[in-house]
Amino acid sequence: MCENPQCPTTDDLTPLTFVATSDLTAVTKGRALPSANLGEKDTTGWVPANLGIGTGGHIAEKIPFGSTGDLRLRPDRAASYPLRGVPGKPDTTIVFADVITTTGEPWGCCPRTFLRDTVAALQEEFGVTVKASFEHEFMDRDATDTHHPFSWRSYRAAEPLGSRVVTAMQASGLEPENWLPEYGLHQYEVTMKPTDPVAAADRAIVVRDLVRDVFASAGRRASFTPMLIPGESGNGVHVHFSLSDAQGRNVFFDDSRPGRLSEFGGRFAGGILERARSLAALFAPLSASYLRLRPHQWASAGIFLGLHNREALLRLCPTVEIDGRDPEPQLHFEFRGGDVGANPWLLLGVVLRAGLEGLRQQTEPARVREGEVDLTDGADGIPEFPHSLEEALQLFEADEEVRGWFDPDLVETFLRIKREELAEVSSLSDTETCEWYARVY
């Protein structure tokens, strides 16, 4: 800290804009420049090999990209967020960018472009638009109070940090919806209002770094890692989404069918469930992810569509009909398998792409399972998640259809990153592995 009274305060600093992307390890990356210098058509430099930076912070060996080659980050002016309200930090604008070539074409390995292209395909082929929102769970690693889930005292124990998080989110345009103490030890949850899918994923990236900043301002560490302590409750990233037609009607709703889920919605869900085991490496991409995706963890524990069931991979959320409220616009899915290791653009992108394939291929509508479900050893014919990241990677690598959704260079880079990550944690105990990831996430 500067002791000289002539040092500028945060109010006197040059306003900066951070031109941002998010890589295959879901870490926010980019470059900052004086906001006044960023013109309407300006881009900033980027390097293909940056995609290969792994969870441990180094470029993985034998990726398709070497020391040559250049890209550009093209800011999306509609994806600009003025980050405000973090004690001790200057206000900074973050603007999300698409990764393009130096001649202006989309780069095949850009995760944000993958999501946008998937959303466009749903619109063009089936006339539907998407609304989505991300829920984040995280833990205060430095809390010392006696935590009691959902309680007033645990809510107050986090103050003023909870209020600072919500205030900073509002000031930054993130539209917070709920803030609460969750079930896990010193665990909290923050949710945001639904918006268009690319914006929802952008906001998911912002809120993680904003929460960490607010907690760090008080000397506290917020961790979104999927499992902080083996055997305890873990942290998920839950994605809520719905689809509407050109008239604004919810295409998932049909009051005459089980769960009020339309045949269209059932086929969409069927596409997701059919490909879930192959996609697990993308939505649950950390070794610690597989300590969470188990029965009795209040997390996804089986690959099924459940009516209001929080152990389902895909949950049909309840509608509220108090005082005659209309259930039709409320019906939506919650995808519960994701965690902080998943790039938000890829997480939402693969869920929507799998649903899109369910529609394209006229997949059999998913069965809506009601009530409690026996998830012991694949009971009730419910597929299990992969039991490890290595198994998940093998399933992804072997699935030609799913692998074919992506540029081959992205696939190869992702697999190289993850296999090096597995080698780094291979000699660690579960407890040490959780700590390793907690330092990153």
Side-chain angles (χ1 to χ4, degrees):
M1 180 178 293
C2 180
E3 302 292 340
N4 188 334
Q6 300 303 314
C7 285
T9 67
T10 56
D11 295 332
D12 299 325
L13 299 177
T14 298
L16 296 179
T17 294
F18 190 87
V19 182
T21 185
S22 181
D23 64 12
L24 295 180
T25 61
V27 175
T28 311
K29 303 280 178 67
R31 297 186 177 191
L33 63 160
S35 300
N37 294 356
L38 186 62
E40 284 296 319
K41 295 185 178 180
D42 284 346
T43 62
T44 190
W46 204 238
V47 178
N50 288 349
L51 189 73
I53 299 175
T55 309
H58 59 267
I59 297 174
E61 297 289 336
K62 299 180 181 179
I63 62 171
F65 312 109
S67 58
T68 60
D70 286 280
L71 298 166
R72 304 297 291 180
L73 296 178
R74 180 168 58 196
D76 179 351
R77 300 297 172 170
S80 182
Y81 295 89
L83 301 189
R84 301 173 179 144
V86 178
K89 299 286 186 182
D91 293 347
T92 301
T93 298
I94 184 168
V95 58
F96 287 99
D98 300 313
V99 187
I100 60 173
T101 68
T102 55
T103 54
E105 291 83 19
W107 187 46
C109 296
C110 175
R112 196 167 189 263
T113 301
F114 173 77
L115 172 58
R116 184 186 289 105
D117 288 349
T118 302
V119 172
L122 280 165
Q123 171 68 53
E124 291 165 7
E125 296 180 37
F126 295 96
V128 293
T129 57
V130 183
K131 288 287 187 183
S133 181
F134 286 66
E135 287 180 358
H136 285 85
E137 296 170 333
F138 67 93
M139 287 168 175
D140 179 354
R141 299 195 65 191
D142 298 297
T144 57
D145 61 293
T146 301
H147 184 85
H148 200 86
F150 314 110
S151 68
W152 164 258
R153 73 185 185 197
S154 291
Y155 159 74
R156 293 294 281 181
E159 289 290 71
L161 294 180
S163 291
R164 286 177 179 167
V165 165
V166 173
T167 299
M169 288 177 67
Q170 285 183 322
S172 304
L174 299 179
E175 297 190 288
E177 204 170 49
N178 281 295
W179 160 262
L180 67 148
E182 254 286 358
Y183 184 70
L185 183 63
H186 304 305
Q187 185 183 48
Y188 293 86
E189 180 179 276
V190 61
T191 69
M192 293 170 282
K193 292 181 180 178
T195 186
D196 78 81
V198 176
D202 293 345
R203 292 177 180 188
I205 295 166
V206 176
V207 76
R208 301 170 184 184
D209 293 309
L210 190 63
V211 167
R212 292 189 189 104
D213 267 0
V214 170
F215 272 71
S217 72
R220 307 268 277 271
R221 296 169 298 168
S223 178
F224 294 78
T225 189
M227 185 62 69
L228 187 59
I229 302 171
E232 296 286 344
S233 294
N235 298 307
V237 175
H238 304 154
V239 184
H240 293 254
F241 64 96
S242 62
L243 272 62
S244 301
D245 64 16
Q247 288 73 45
R249 294 175 300 214
N250 187 346
V251 296
F252 287 163
F253 187 84
D254 184 341
D255 199 33
S256 67
R257 292 176 56 85
R260 292 174 164 175
L261 181 64
S262 67
E263 181 178 324
F264 184 98
R267 294 191 192 283
F268 197 92
I272 296 170
L273 299 183
E274 189 174 277
R275 295 160 180 82
R277 282 175 55 80
S278 297
L279 292 172
L282 294 167
F283 65 72
L286 309 180
S287 181
S289 301
Y290 298 88
L291 300 175
R292 187 180 79 90
L293 298 176
R294 297 176 177 180
H296 314 303
Q297 292 280 8
W298 286 91
S300 297
I303 298 172
F304 68 100
L305 170 62
L307 183 65
H308 311 168
N309 190 323
R310 289 174 176 82
E311 287 197 315
L313 174 63
L314 202 58
R315 181 172 82 111
L316 266 174
C317 295
T319 57
V320 177
E321 299 172 51
I322 300 168
D323 297 327
R325 294 183 184 178
D326 185 0
E328 181 262 322
Q330 301 178 49
L331 189 77
H332 69 279
F333 289 131
E334 178 188 22
F335 183 86
R336 294 179 55 81
D339 65 47
V340 73
N343 177 296
W345 297 316
L346 287 182
L347 169 55
L348 181 51
V350 298
V351 170
L352 296 180
R353 179 60 187 266
L356 171 62
E357 293 300 331
L359 300 177
R360 284 172 169 170
Q361 299 175 29
Q362 290 288 289
T363 300
E364 183 71 19
R367 171 185 169 186
V368 179
R369 295 179 181 265
E370 300 187 29
E372 296 297 322
V373 174
D374 183 0
L375 296 170
T376 306
D377 298 325
D380 288 342
I382 294 175
E384 295 181 295
F385 288 105
H387 293 97
S388 67
L389 178 56
E390 178 55 45
E391 183 184 351
L393 292 171
Q394 291 171 3
L395 290 166
F396 170 63
E397 194 171 15
D399 192 321
E400 292 185 8
E401 179 201 358
V402 168
R403 204 176 65 242
W405 298 350
F406 305 99
D407 188 293
D409 286 345
L410 184 149
V411 172
E412 185 176 350
T413 302
F414 178 76
L415 291 171
R416 293 283 184 186
I417 285 172
K418 288 297 156 183
R419 295 234 157 87
E420 283 201 7
E421 180 181 313
L422 282 173
E424 288 190 68
V425 302
S426 63
S427 63
L428 304 181
S429 67
D430 285 350
T431 298
E432 291 168 333
T433 296
C434 290
E435 176 60 30
W436 191 86
Y437 283 114
R439 289 194 292 269
V440 178
Y441 295 107

